[in-house]
Amino acid sequence: MSQRQSNRRPSKLAAIIRKITGDPVENDLSGYYRTLERIKALRLDGESDGTLAGLAASLRARARSGTAPEELVVEAFALVREASRRAVRLDPFDPQLITGLAMAEGKIAELPTGEGKTLAAVFPAFLHGLAGSGVHVLTFNDYLARRDAAWMGPIYVLLGLTVGCVQEGQAPAEKRAAYAHDITYATAKEVGFDYLRDQLAGRAEDVVLRPFHCALVDEADSILIDEARIPLIISGLTEAEATDAATIARSVERLAAGTDFETDEARTSVSLTDAGLDRLERDLGRGGLYDDRNQALLAAVHCALHARVLLRRDVDYIVRNGRVEIVDEFTGRVVDKRHWPDGLQAAVEAKENLERRGGGTVLGSITIQHFLGLYPHLAGMTATAASSAGEVREFYGRNVVVVPPNRPCIRVDEPDLVFETRAAKHEALVREVASARAAGRPVLVGTASVRESEELAAGLRTAGVSCRVLNAKNDEEEAGIIAQAGRPGAVTISTNMAGRGTDIKLGGADEEERGRVASLGGLYVIGTNRHESLRIDQQLRGRAGRQGDPGTSKFFISFEDEIFERYGLGEALADSLGLDDGQRAVSSRRLNREIVHGQRLIEARNFALRRSLWDYSYLVELERRMVAARREGLLSRRDEGPLAALDPALHAQCVSAWGKERLEELERRVALYHLDRGWAEHLAWIQELREGIHLVSLGGRSPLEEFRKAVTEAFLAMRQRTDEAVLQTFRSLARDPSQAELEAEALKGPSSTWTYLVSDDQSDWGVGLLQGKNIGAASIAAGIYGPLFLFALTLNRRRRKRRKKKR
C-alpha cells in the first residue's frame, strides 16, 4: 500500500481511539484528500491571467460580504495552485496543499523539512487575506521574512492581493504601510514590539497596526513552544542603578570556589558560604549584607556570583562590538534585543568590563504566547510538532496534523555513538569528519555552543581538514555558507542555527555535482550533543534527506556532555548498560531508547514549568487586555473621558472654560498619561511580588492563590489611583484655565523607549514549583530561574539563623 493510501484509510479502531482519548495528533487525512480532489477538479490551466484575476476578485467580494472562508477554500486553493505555476514556476505537491488545508482550519501542520512550507503557507494566507483584514505570516528572522515576501509576492499580485514586509528598524510610516497590505511577512518578535509601541501611542494616527485578524506561524514549534514564555518588553530610560556593578564584580571575582561559594552537582545554582559572606562584607564595607537596608546590594551580589560562575562566555553569550549578546540555546543564534533581567545584565557586563547600557522602567510587556493569543485566527507549520502536540493543544487549543512527505524519506538515522569523555568524543569526531571528506562527501556538524564549534574547527584544521564555521559570531554569513554546504567534500561546523528555513542542496549551487554527492550517500549530518528537546535533535537530522534525497545522521555524545551532567543521566545510563570504566564508546539501539526516554522526562519537566508559569501570568494578561481596551477606547474616542463620571460639577466647569471639543482632547491626553503611568507602576510591583511570593509557602499557604489575590487587589487599587490622578490634574488645570494647554503638554510619555526580550525563563521566578511546602524543589528552581530566586530563599534562611543566634 502506498504512503498516501495508508494515510487516507487509517483503521477505524485507531480513529475511534483518537476520538475517545482526545489525541491532539491527527493522522487521518482522508477528509483532506477528498477536498484535494475537488481542488484538482477545478482546471484553470487554460484560463488567461485576466480570468484568474477576475475569479479572485469575485472571491474577494464574497469574502468581504461575509462568506465564511471554509465556503471559499476549494476555489481559493485552486486559484493559488494555478497562480503558483505561472508566477513563480512552482507546481505545488499534494502535501503542500494538505498542509495549507490544515492551516486554513486553524491547525498546526507538521510537514518534514525540505517539503516547501513557504509555498504551503500561501494557500491559507490568500484564503484569509480575501477578507481584507490583514494576514501576518510570521517567520523565523528578518532575512526569511524579506525573502519569502519577495519570492511569493508575485502569486498574490497575480490574484489581486497586496503583499508587504516588516523589518526591524523601519520608520513608523513604512511599517504602517506594510501592515496595511493584505498579506504582511514579519517576525513574531517585531510585530509584538510594534504592538507594545502602539500601546504607548498618544494619538490614533501614531498606531501602526490594524486590529489583528490572522497569523500563520512558520517554525511553529520554536515560536509557540520554545520562545512562548519569553516576554517582549518596552522600557523608558531611567537613571543608573544605585549599586555599583563593577565594584561588586571585582569583589566576587576574588572569591574562591569551594571556600567562599558552592555549586550543586549539576552546576545549576550557586550560593555563598558563611566564609564568602564574611569576606564580601569586609570587602564591600557596607555592613551586614543581610541587613534590611542592604537587600538591593545583596541581590546585586548574587547576580554577580551567578554571572561569574554559571554564565559562560561563548556558550551562553558572546561579546561582540562592545556588547553582551545572548546565544539562544535552541538555535545557537544570537537573539537580537534579548536581555537578562536588569541586575543580571549589569552583572554580566561588569564581569566582561563593558560599559553599562542604560536600564529602564518597564512600560509594557507581553509574552509571545499571550501575544499570539490576540489573533482570532492562528495556525502554524513546522517539521517537528507532534511530540509537543499536548502542549500546543493545552495552550493554544489547536491540534497537530501530521502530513507525509511528497517523497518517502530515505535518510539513514544511525544509532548514537557514546563516549565516556569529551576528549574521546572530540578525537573520534575529527577522524570521522576527515574520513567523510576524504571520500568527497559533504558533512554538516551541529554543535551545542559557539565554543565547541570553534574548538572542533581548530581540531579539524590541525588534522589538515579545511572547514567553514557558522555560529553566533558570524550569523550574517549564514545564507552564503549554507548555500555551499552540500558541495562535494564541504565541511561545515555550525551551532543549531544551520539552515533552518533554507535548503542545503546536494552539490551546492552546481547541479552537475548533485549526482556525485547523491551516489556517495548525500549529506552527512553529525550532532555533537543531545539536547533537552528531542525536537531540536530532529531539526538537525532534518538538514539531510530532504525531498527524498539520500542522507545520513548520527550523534556523537559523551557522558560529560552538559545534558548528562546537568540531569545525572550519564551515570544512570552507564550503570544500566553495564559499561566498564575502560570502555571508550558504545553504540546500540537500547542506548538510543534510554537517551530518548531521558529527553522525554526533561521535556515533561519543562512542560510542567511552563504550565506553572502560565498560571501566574494568566491573570496579569487579563488585566493587560483590560488596560489595552481602555486605551483603545480613549484613542478612538469611542469611550467618553472619565471626568463627567468622576466629578460632574468639575466637568461642567471645564466645559465652560474650554468648550466641549477641547476638553475631550485634554481628557484623552490626561487619562492616557495616568493610565500608562499606573500600569507601569503595577508591572514593577508585580515583578517585586514574583520574586518573593514563594516564601508564603513556608507558612503553609498557596503561592499561586496569594499571588492572584494580591494582584487583583493591586489592580483595583491602581485603577482607583488613576482616576484620582485624573481628577487632581483637572483640579489643577481648572485653577488657571489659561495655562491648561502648557500643563497638559507636560503630561507626555517617555522621551525615548527601547525594546528587548528578557532571556527565556529568567523573567519569571520559579514560584510555580513551590506549591504547599515543597521547598525541596528550590535548588532546581534556582538553576532555572536565576540568582534572585536563590537569593530570596537564602535570605529567609540566614535571617532565621541570625535571629536564633541573637536569642
Side-chain angles (χ1 to χ4, degrees):
M1 181 180 290
S2 70
Q3 188 171 31
R4 168 175 161 171
Q5 289 174 322
S6 66
N7 279 282
R8 285 185 73 173
R9 298 184 178 87
S11 70
K12 291 183 179 180
L13 178 60
I16 293 172
I17 292 175
R18 194 185 68 78
K19 288 183 179 180
I20 293 174
T21 60
D23 186 356
V25 178
E26 297 183 19
N27 293 291
D28 181 2
L29 306 181
S30 55
Y32 294 119
Y33 278 112
R34 285 193 294 269
T35 304
L36 182 60
E37 295 304 325
R38 293 172 59 202
I39 293 169
K40 288 182 174 182
L42 289 178
R43 300 294 300 272
L44 300 171
D45 50 309
E47 305 293 346
S48 67
D49 288 357
T51 299
L52 292 186
L55 291 171
S58 175
L59 284 184
R60 191 163 61 250
R62 290 166 60 192
R64 297 181 185 186
S65 66
T67 303
E70 53 266 28
E71 296 181 37
L72 306 174
V73 66
V74 172
E75 295 163 88
F77 274 48
L79 281 169
V80 173
R81 181 168 176 252
E82 182 59 32
S84 173
R85 292 167 174 165
R86 301 184 187 192
V88 296
R89 300 294 188 268
L90 292 175
D91 192 356
F93 301 123
D94 288 359
Q96 291 172 304
L97 285 157
I98 292 172
T99 297
L101 288 169
M103 294 174 68
E105 293 181 352
K107 296 175 181 176
I108 308 301
E110 179 179 285
L111 185 66
T113 53
E115 293 292 317
K117 288 186 285 293
T118 302
L119 177 57
V122 175
F123 289 89
F126 174 74
L127 175 67
H128 285 289
L130 291 169
S133 300
V135 174
H136 295 166
V137 183
L138 304 178
T139 62
F140 196 67
N141 56 42
D142 273 355
Y143 162 73
L144 292 176
R146 187 169 62 251
R147 183 203 70 177
D148 294 352
W151 186 14
M152 299 291 108
I155 301 176
Y156 301 114
V157 172
L158 178 59
L159 297 177
L161 296 189
T162 60
V163 60
C165 174
V166 168
Q167 300 277 281
E168 181 187 353
Q170 283 179 329
E174 291 180 284
K175 288 188 171 181
R176 192 176 301 111
Y179 287 125
H181 287 297
D182 297 311
I183 314 293
T184 305
Y185 285 81
T187 64
K189 173 190 68 178
E190 194 61 27
V191 182
F193 283 143
D194 285 336
Y195 173 74
L196 290 176
R197 293 184 190 101
D198 282 354
Q199 294 304 299
L200 296 176
R203 302 176 303 167
E205 53 266 35
D206 293 332
V207 173
V208 302
L209 283 159
R210 293 191 282 170
F212 290 133
H213 171 58
C214 174
L216 305 175
V217 183
D218 195 5
E219 305 294 356
D221 61 320
S222 176
I223 295 174
L224 298 182
I225 299 172
D226 297 335
E227 299 187 4
R229 286 298 312 149
I230 298 175
L232 307 175
I233 305 290
I234 186 166
S235 290
L237 294 180
T238 61
E239 296 179 0
E241 299 90 341
T243 57
D244 185 347
T247 299
I248 295 170
R250 288 193 295 270
S251 296
V252 166
E253 189 63 33
R254 290 190 283 268
L255 298 179
T259 302
D260 297 323
F261 64 84
E262 297 172 341
T263 62
D264 62 355
E265 291 183 4
R267 289 181 60 82
T268 57
S269 63
V270 59
S271 60
L272 289 170
T273 63
D274 287 336
L277 181 65
D278 293 338
R279 182 171 180 175
L280 279 176
E281 288 177 342
R282 291 194 305 270
D283 200 11
L284 295 172
R286 300 270 291 273
L289 285 178
Y290 286 92
D291 293 347
D292 289 341
R293 61 186 175 87
N294 280 332
Q295 287 191 21
L297 178 62
L298 182 57
V301 165
H302 276 276
C303 284
L305 190 60
H306 187 97
R308 175 195 161 181
V309 179
L310 301 182
L311 294 179
R312 299 153 298 171
R313 182 170 177 165
D314 291 338
V315 176
D316 302 298
Y317 65 92
I318 64 172
V319 176
R320 182 167 60 180
N321 299 325
R323 299 172 58 181
V324 169
E325 299 187 334
I326 296 175
V327 177
D328 185 271
E329 65 174 306
F330 296 107
T331 68
R333 300 175 188 265
V334 163
V335 187
D336 185 51
K337 289 190 175 182
R338 185 177 295 183
H339 286 208
W340 285 292
D342 215 36
L344 186 56
Q345 183 75 22
V348 177
E349 290 170 349
K351 168 188 172 182
E352 298 293 345
N353 296 313
L354 300 175
E355 181 181 351
R356 176 72 179 117
R357 300 173 65 198
T361 298
V362 174
L363 304 175
S365 70
I366 189 171
T367 64
I368 291 177
Q369 188 176 55
H370 289 309
F371 165 68
L372 292 174
L374 298 175
Y375 287 91
H377 302 281
L378 177 67
M381 55 186 179
T382 181
T384 49
S387 61
S388 299
E391 186 167 354
V392 172
R393 162 80 75 77
E394 179 168 340
F395 291 133
Y396 300 97
R398 282 153 176 79
N399 284 356
V400 172
V401 177
V402 178
V403 183
N406 182 53
R407 298 175 182 171
C409 179
I410 61 173
R411 184 186 66 239
V412 177
D413 296 327
E414 296 185 356
D416 298 350
L417 191 59
V418 183
F419 299 82
E420 287 186 65
T421 66
R422 283 197 193 96
K425 178 183 74 172
H426 182 87
E427 292 174 8
L429 278 167
V430 171
R431 289 194 302 269
E432 185 78 0
V433 173
S435 174
R437 184 179 184 277
R441 191 174 185 186
V443 181
L444 173 68
V445 184
T447 64
S449 67
V450 174
R451 181 182 302 170
E452 186 180 27
S453 68
E454 294 180 342
E455 289 175 351
L456 180 58
L460 287 169
R461 288 166 184 154
T462 299
V465 178
S466 62
C467 61
R468 299 289 301 274
V469 178
L470 175 61
N471 59 36
K473 290 185 177 180
N474 64 340
D475 49 356
E476 294 181 359
E477 303 174 25
E478 176 178 2
I481 293 175
I482 289 300
Q484 301 300 320
R487 291 184 298 108
V491 176
T492 308
I493 312 298
S494 174
T495 49
N496 293 328
M497 65 196 298
R500 190 158 188 170
T502 60
D503 278 325
I504 300 177
K505 296 182 179 180
L506 298 189
D510 188 351
E511 286 293 328
E512 294 182 2
E513 296 285 3
R514 177 182 175 83
R516 177 187 169 194
V517 173
S519 67
L520 293 171
L523 181 67
Y524 185 10
V525 171
I526 298 175
T528 65
N529 290 265
R530 284 288 198 158
H531 301 88
E532 288 191 10
S533 172
L534 187 59
R535 290 181 292 102
I536 306 302
D537 292 343
Q538 293 170 338
Q539 283 282 352
L540 181 58
R541 290 190 193 276
R543 299 305 100 198
R546 298 157 81 90
Q547 278 289 350
D549 286 340
T552 305
S553 74
K554 188 174 185 177
F555 280 85
F556 284 57
I557 57 182
S558 83
F559 289 149
E560 291 180 349
D561 291 346
E562 183 175 352
I563 186 174
F564 294 102
E565 291 189 339
R566 175 179 294 182
Y567 299 104
L569 298 178
E571 185 176 345
L573 285 172
D575 290 343
S576 68
L577 293 168
L579 298 182
D580 297 328
D581 290 339
Q583 191 167 349
R584 294 180 62 80
V586 64
S587 177
S588 73
R589 295 292 178 184
R590 179 189 170 194
L591 178 61
N592 269 42
R593 288 195 299 270
E594 293 289 343
I595 291 172
V596 170
H597 176 67
Q599 286 177 299
R600 293 200 185 283
L601 291 176
I602 295 169
E603 287 178 337
R605 186 215 62 163
N606 290 339
F607 179 22
L609 291 178
R610 287 191 288 267
R611 180 191 287 127
S612 179
L613 292 170
W614 168 271
D615 289 339
Y616 282 87
S617 65
Y618 180 70
L619 176 60
V620 180
E621 171 59 14
L622 291 180
E623 293 176 348
R624 190 203 61 74
R625 293 192 183 193
M626 293 172 67
V627 171
R630 176 59 175 154
R631 276 195 113 265
E632 198 279 327
L634 289 168
L635 275 181
S636 65
R637 304 180 188 274
R638 186 185 66 246
D639 296 345
E640 293 183 357
L643 190 56
L646 294 172
D647 191 332
L650 180 60
H651 179 263
Q653 179 184 349
C654 291
V655 169
S656 176
W658 302 304
K660 185 176 181 181
E661 185 174 340
R662 187 180 175 200
L663 175 60
E664 288 178 352
E665 174 63 17
L666 287 173
E667 276 193 280
R668 181 185 61 79
R669 287 159 62 181
V670 171
L672 285 173
Y673 171 81
H674 288 299
L675 181 63
D676 292 344
R677 183 175 180 179
W679 179 243
E681 292 172 351
H682 186 59
L683 289 176
W685 178 85
I686 288 173
Q687 185 63 26
E688 293 179 2
L689 178 66
R690 278 174 170 163
E691 293 170 11
I693 191 65
H694 60 281
L695 294 175
V696 304
S697 62
L698 298 172
R701 290 177 291 166
S702 164
L704 180 58
E705 290 179 9
E706 295 298 321
F707 177 83
R708 287 176 171 171
K709 184 191 304 182
V711 167
T712 300
E713 292 174 355
F715 183 70
L716 295 174
M718 182 271 289
R719 293 176 62 176
Q720 184 175 352
R721 286 196 310 273
T722 299
D723 288 342
E724 291 171 354
V726 170
L727 273 177
Q728 184 60 39
T729 297
F730 274 101
R731 286 169 183 155
S732 175
L733 295 175
R735 283 194 290 269
D736 187 357
S738 65
Q739 297 297 311
E741 191 65 33
L742 291 176
E743 292 189 38
E745 187 67 21
L747 298 178
K748 286 185 174 181
S751 58
S752 62
T753 61
W754 59 308
T755 55
Y756 60 96
L757 299 94
V758 174
S759 181
D760 205 0
D761 297 320
Q762 294 284 355
S763 64
D764 286 294
W765 316 109
V767 290
L769 290 175
L770 298 181
Q771 303 295 336
K773 298 182 179 180
N774 186 19
I775 305 303
S779 61
I780 299 174
I784 299 167
Y785 297 104
L788 291 185
F789 187 93
L790 180 62
F791 151 65
L793 286 180
T794 308
L795 173 65
N796 186 69
R797 294 186 185 122
R798 288 192 180 277
R799 278 180 173 163
R800 285 187 294 168
K801 283 175 64 177
R802 294 198 172 192
R803 283 174 187 153
K804 288 181 180 178
K805 287 181 180 179
K806 289 181 180 179
R807 291 174 188 167

